[in-house]
Amino acid sequence: MQARRVGSWAMVVLSTLLALGAAVAWWASGLADAETFAAQATETLAQDDVNQLVAERLVDRFASDTVLGTSGRPAAVAVTRSVISSDEFAGVFESAVRTAHEQLVSDRDDSVTVAVAGAAPLLDPAARDSESA
């Protein structure tokens, strides 16, 4: 009786691990392909909440110490948001994301390689921001 119980739990754990592994592999396959990754990033940018957040962050980052970033912040965010939501920007954004992905991630020979040295300049400002927080 005890052996059956242990065997049953072992099968449940094994099935769960296999299901999780399959889900992660499916999810990672989208990250390895530059076209899929760029399309997903562009779709995400088109979402209203993301679009608003990106516009606010851009205005805060580049105009926070100017009149445009203080008194005219709502107008600056609205203009930035309209630019970000345009089809022209989406095309440029998708192309840039695809190119950056192709430079950082290689998916040759059924394996994925991430060029960490190439990602360092992109990750350095984020690391500095988290250290200061």
Side-chain angles (χ1 to χ4, degrees):
M1 185 68 97
Q2 183 71 11
R4 283 187 181 173
R5 188 174 300 164
V6 171
S8 297
W9 277 108
M11 293 301 287
V12 167
V13 169
L14 180 62
S15 299
T16 303
L17 290 174
L18 287 174
L20 284 172
V24 168
W26 174 77
W27 175 74
S29 68
L31 293 178
D33 179 49
E35 291 291 330
T36 304
F37 184 82
Q40 288 174 344
T42 304
E43 280 180 33
T44 302
L45 185 63
Q47 295 175 2
D48 289 338
D49 292 344
V50 175
N51 194 301
Q52 180 69 28
L53 180 63
V54 170
E56 289 173 358
R57 293 278 173 101
L58 285 172
V59 169
D60 291 345
R61 173 82 181 205
F62 296 110
S64 63
D65 57 347
T66 66
V67 173
L68 184 62
T70 55
S71 304
R73 186 175 188 278
V77 169
V79 168
T80 305
R81 189 170 179 187
S82 68
V83 169
I84 292 172
S85 63
S86 70
D87 291 339
E88 292 81 7
F89 184 83
V92 171
F93 179 79
E94 186 168 352
S95 178
V97 169
R98 184 182 321 103
T99 301
H101 187 278
E102 288 169 349
Q103 291 175 354
L104 296 175
V105 179
S106 169
D107 62 347
R108 294 183 210 118
D109 304 326
D110 294 330
S111 64
V112 175
T113 306
V114 177
V116 177
L122 301 173
L123 300 175
D124 189 41
R128 287 185 187 168
D129 287 346
S130 68
E131 287 175 0
S132 65

